[in-house]
Amino acid sequence: MPEHTRQASMAALGLLFFSFLMFTMPFFAFFGVQRIVRDCFDIDGFVYIGWSVLAVVVTVNAIILAYAYKAYHEPEYDDEGNEITPEHLVNVEKPPCFLRKFSPDGKHFIAFSADQTSLEVYLYNGPSAAGDILDGICGEYIPNRNDGKTYEVRSKVFERFFKPKFSINVCQSIEQLNRECSLFSDDGRYVIIGSAAYIPDDLRPHFYQIYTNNEAVCPNPRSPLEDYSLHLVDLYAGRLCDTRQFKVDKIFLSHNQGLYLYKDILAVLSVQHQLIHIFQILDGMFLDVRKIGRFCFEDDSYFINSVYPTERPFRDTPINSLKHRLLVFLYKRAKAISDQCQHPYELRKFYQCFENFRSLRLWKMQLLDENHLLIKYASEEVVTLKSNEPNSQPSFFVIYNMSEGKVLAVYDNMSKDLLGLFENFCDSFRNAGIHTESQFTCSPSNNLYARLIQQRFKQTIVSAKFGGKTEATKRLLAQLPISAQSYSSSPYLDLSLFSYDDKWVSGLERPKACGEHPIRFYARDSGLLKYRIYAGVLGKTVPPTARRLVAFTFHPTDPFAISVQRTNAEYIVNFHIHHTSS
């Protein structure tokens, strides 16, 4: 008999058995208790009926509880009839380091040393590397205990999956690596990591080091200045290839917000100096291509210096080159609309808002391809983190062609046109297909289920109090620009293959709230439960005031995932693998 048929037959027999009990046992309970109460205790009247009814209620509830207990402890099977037995390793012992992520080809895993000065490179040995020490272990998870077999597995499983390859000292002096910053090259050979060092109060920089041009922002305690370095590391050779320093600056390194890698082109946004540095990675070196901000082309400085040979850039009277191109585009668009409508309203509106446009500052950016940038402008209060709700403030998106030095389009953060482009061409914003030919990253533009999730999210905002279509557009466009390499390509997060609650885990590699119950993954084609992921430590009580976050790192292709749970200052590492005990 096929496995599916046997399972269905057993389920049907169990249902018939408990249905039979439900129809028969209450009668036995009613008349049996009635006879006992009347014959043995000589009770009659209301009490006589009450005891009989109570017996029926207790019997029915007992049958329901028995059925629920049987269903809860019944093993679950996949589409082929195999019992679902994913292994969950709790509180794995690891070297003293901060785990980061897999390389795009899945062959290497990187981590940062405990003092955040070195990059540690591990070779990944495959999803079955720990099969021998897991042999004979049953159950869905290995508990956090120190008995013989359990302790052996927890202490040895990391070295089975990951073999140390290199430990590369990167930082010097007082700089520390940012644990949430890493960008891999397309071939997986190089990785770019960032470090920063606070500037001591007794070594305050010179005025003209802080204000290098007339667009430089004013630093504040929420956005302090630091010294930054970007390091290019060769994972194959285990050596530091090149380093670029950015002194007295503000670059958002966390989650790669301030830098973007597209193929071999690296863009770095200096928020403090309002510059976009463009580099090319060639043979393990950072090559200067251009700087966009005060100037857009290399020869622009020659013309400025010929007119103002001794003038400090901070005291420049001209509008900086990139801002000037933005203002020109807005003026030409307003004039074209006014000419078409034969009414000066748009032109007057431009003049009215001119100072607001001029006061805009670079906030975020991303590369759309080798030549095009998506730049986000906002007020200085937003850029310097003074605003408590930055995404509710007005902002503008600019599409800029670097090679031609031309602004191609400008949208505000309430633009329906930009939202339509984002929804229909989401992969172009995510640059999803750069690293892998087989594209697993699902988005609203290539996946029906991802689109439905986004539409539900949009409808929730529209229907909410103080919501509406404009607010929904703002919330969705707040995702732009998208940080580089921030989405997982694991097929186990593909919404066309599996259904799961994206509140607890998603393709976006960001910490999520940690739930009390396991995350269930169901097959799209059959609706059957395929596997579960336990994000926390089972059986461990957590203070109600503690904020529990969990970050998932999935292998690009294999059934292997790492979850790092943070409860206040405590970190717990769990491994999630597929293992069937023999």
Side-chain angles (χ1 to χ4, degrees):
M1 180 185 293
E3 192 67 29
H4 278 301
T5 305
R6 188 183 68 83
Q7 295 165 20
S9 301
M10 294 298 294
L13 287 175
L15 181 62
L16 287 174
F17 173 72
F18 280 96
S19 299
F20 173 78
L21 293 180
M22 187 68 76
F23 278 103
T24 56
M25 292 304 295
F27 290 102
F28 286 108
F30 182 86
F31 291 108
V33 171
Q34 194 178 66
R35 183 172 181 178
I36 293 173
V37 170
R38 184 183 57 194
D39 296 347
C40 298
F41 298 97
D42 195 22
I43 298 175
D44 207 345
F46 175 78
V47 177
Y48 164 75
I49 299 296
W51 279 104
S52 302
V53 172
L54 180 62
V56 172
V57 172
V58 171
T59 303
V60 169
N61 282 277
I63 295 172
I64 294 174
L65 287 174
Y67 182 75
Y69 180 86
K70 177 181 179 298
Y72 184 79
H73 288 84
E74 198 170 47
E76 292 161 328
Y77 301 88
D78 60 17
D79 293 341
E80 285 72 35
N82 301 314
E83 187 176 341
I84 297 174
T85 56
E87 208 75 50
H88 167 67
L89 307 180
V90 177
N91 202 3
V92 171
E93 292 192 7
K94 63 174 181 62
C97 63
F98 297 99
L99 307 181
R100 175 56 182 158
K101 68 186 302 183
F102 289 95
S103 59
D105 56 11
K107 297 178 181 179
H108 293 93
F109 186 84
I110 64 169
F112 300 113
S113 61
D115 59 359
Q116 294 177 238
T117 60
S118 301
L119 179 71
E120 299 181 358
V121 183
Y122 296 89
L123 280 176
Y124 172 63
N125 294 324
S128 60
D132 56 337
I133 62 173
L134 293 175
D135 191 30
I137 293 182
C138 302
E140 273 196 281
Y141 69 95
I142 298 178
N144 186 24
R145 295 200 304 263
N146 288 328
D147 54 7
K149 183 64 174 178
T150 301
Y151 178 76
E152 179 188 3
V153 172
R154 289 176 47 238
S155 60
K156 292 183 178 180
V157 71
F158 186 91
E159 63 187 39
R160 293 301 180 93
F161 282 109
F162 300 107
K163 178 182 178 181
K165 186 177 181 182
F166 300 113
S167 181
I168 308 156
N169 183 259
V170 174
C171 292
Q172 306 297 329
S173 66
I174 60 173
E175 284 195 358
Q176 284 191 321
L177 293 168
N178 188 295
R179 305 196 308 248
E180 298 173 338
C181 176
S182 64
L183 290 173
F184 290 94
S185 60
D186 290 350
D187 57 2
R189 175 164 187 168
Y190 297 103
V191 63
I192 300 169
I193 54 179
S195 61
Y198 286 105
I199 301 175
D201 293 335
D202 55 344
L203 296 176
R204 185 169 177 80
H206 191 273
F207 178 87
Y208 288 111
Q209 287 181 294
I210 300 176
Y211 301 99
T212 56
N213 57 65
N214 61 358
E215 290 275 316
V217 299
C218 183
N220 65 84
R222 285 193 175 186
S223 179
L225 298 180
E226 297 175 285
D227 291 334
Y228 296 88
S229 297
L230 293 182
H231 313 276
L232 184 63
V233 179
D234 188 338
L235 298 180
Y236 292 178
R239 64 186 179 90
L240 176 64
C241 298
D242 199 0
T243 297
R244 285 300 173 100
Q245 295 183 336
F246 305 86
K247 298 292 186 180
V248 192
D249 210 333
K250 190 62 187 178
I251 300 173
F252 298 125
L253 295 179
S254 296
H255 304 299
N256 307 325
Q257 293 181 78
L259 52 157
Y260 201 98
L261 181 65
Y262 184 93
K263 295 184 178 178
D264 61 345
I265 302 297
L266 174 68
V268 181
L269 172 60
S270 165
V271 172
Q272 173 59 32
H273 305 299
Q274 293 292 287
L275 286 173
I276 301 176
H277 303 265
I278 305 297
F279 302 99
Q280 183 178 9
I281 300 175
L282 185 63
D283 296 331
M285 296 184 294
F286 291 120
L287 299 181
D288 292 306
V289 177
R290 60 172 59 89
K291 295 180 182 179
I292 302 171
R294 186 182 180 217
F295 305 124
C296 292
F297 294 107
E298 293 76 6
D299 55 355
D300 286 352
S301 60
Y302 170 77
F303 294 106
I304 291 292
N305 292 331
S306 63
V307 179
Y308 305 101
T310 60
E311 190 76 18
R312 290 277 191 177
F314 175 71
R315 302 186 182 279
D316 280 349
T317 51
I319 301 172
N320 105 359
S321 297
L322 183 59
K323 181 68 67 63
H324 182 264
R325 283 164 169 77
L326 170 62
L327 294 173
V328 168
F329 178 89
L330 293 174
Y331 168 77
K332 288 183 176 179
R333 185 173 69 178
K335 188 175 186 306
I337 296 174
S338 296
D339 292 343
Q340 183 179 2
C341 299
Q342 296 183 349
H343 193 280
Y345 172 76
E346 286 292 332
L347 206 53
R348 290 174 179 173
K349 187 177 178 181
F350 169 78
Y351 291 136
Q352 181 184 9
C353 301
F354 180 82
E355 288 303 324
N356 292 333
F357 292 142
R358 187 173 179 177
S359 65
L360 292 173
R361 294 293 184 265
L362 293 170
W363 184 18
K364 299 178 182 179
M365 63 85 207
Q366 75 167 96
L367 286 164
L368 297 176
D369 56 32
E370 294 96 330
N371 290 318
H372 294 89
L373 279 167
L374 174 63
I375 304 171
K376 190 173 186 178
Y377 278 92
S379 65
E380 186 166 341
E381 288 73 20
V382 172
V383 171
T384 55
L385 308 180
K386 291 181 181 179
S387 176
N388 294 324
E389 296 183 358
N391 292 323
S392 64
Q393 303 297 320
S395 58
F396 293 87
F397 299 91
V398 177
I399 298 178
Y400 176 75
N401 186 305
M402 296 186 292
S403 58
E404 298 180 6
K406 185 178 180 181
V407 173
L408 303 180
V410 178
Y411 304 94
D412 60 28
N413 62 337
M414 298 179 289
S415 172
K416 295 180 180 179
D417 294 335
L418 180 59
L419 179 60
L421 291 172
F422 179 43
E423 290 180 334
N424 295 320
F425 303 97
C426 189
D427 292 333
S428 298
F429 291 92
R430 293 186 184 181
N431 292 318
I434 295 181
H435 299 296
T436 55
E437 295 180 2
S438 55
Q439 181 179 325
F440 292 123
T441 305
C442 57
S443 69
S445 60
N446 67 30
N447 188 283
L448 173 64
Y449 304 102
R451 195 173 187 89
L452 288 174
I453 290 174
Q454 179 161 304
Q455 293 300 323
R456 283 198 296 267
F457 173 70
K458 185 195 299 186
Q459 191 58 43
T460 300
I461 301 174
V462 171
S463 306
K465 187 178 181 181
F466 305 116
K469 292 185 178 180
T470 301
E471 186 64 24
T473 302
K474 278 187 178 182
R475 291 283 297 274
L476 290 171
L477 291 182
Q479 303 174 46
L480 297 177
I482 297 175
S483 301
Q485 301 180 19
S486 57
Y487 282 86
S488 172
S489 61
S490 171
Y492 297 91
L493 294 175
D494 191 343
L495 287 168
S496 62
L497 299 177
F498 300 102
S499 170
Y500 54 89
D501 190 347
D502 64 330
K503 177 183 178 181
W504 309 114
V505 63
S506 69
L508 181 64
E509 295 178 341
R510 293 286 189 278
K512 296 270 191 179
C514 185
E516 298 293 335
H517 304 285
I519 306 169
R520 295 172 176 263
F521 291 75
Y522 298 89
R524 284 287 182 189
D525 53 357
S526 64
L528 296 176
L529 178 68
K530 300 298 290 186
Y531 61 97
R532 287 186 287 249
I533 287 183
Y534 295 84
V537 176
L538 301 181
K540 183 175 181 180
T541 58
V542 179
T545 57
R547 188 187 181 197
R548 300 173 62 197
L549 295 175
V550 60
F552 288 95
T553 300
F554 281 79
H555 188 274
T557 56
D558 291 351
F560 182 88
I562 302 172
S563 66
V564 180
Q565 181 195 157
R566 177 184 175 185
T567 304
N568 294 336
E570 183 183 7
Y571 289 87
I572 297 173
V573 177
N574 299 334
F575 282 4
H576 310 275
I577 63 175
H578 182 85
H579 173 72
T580 304
S581 58
S582 57

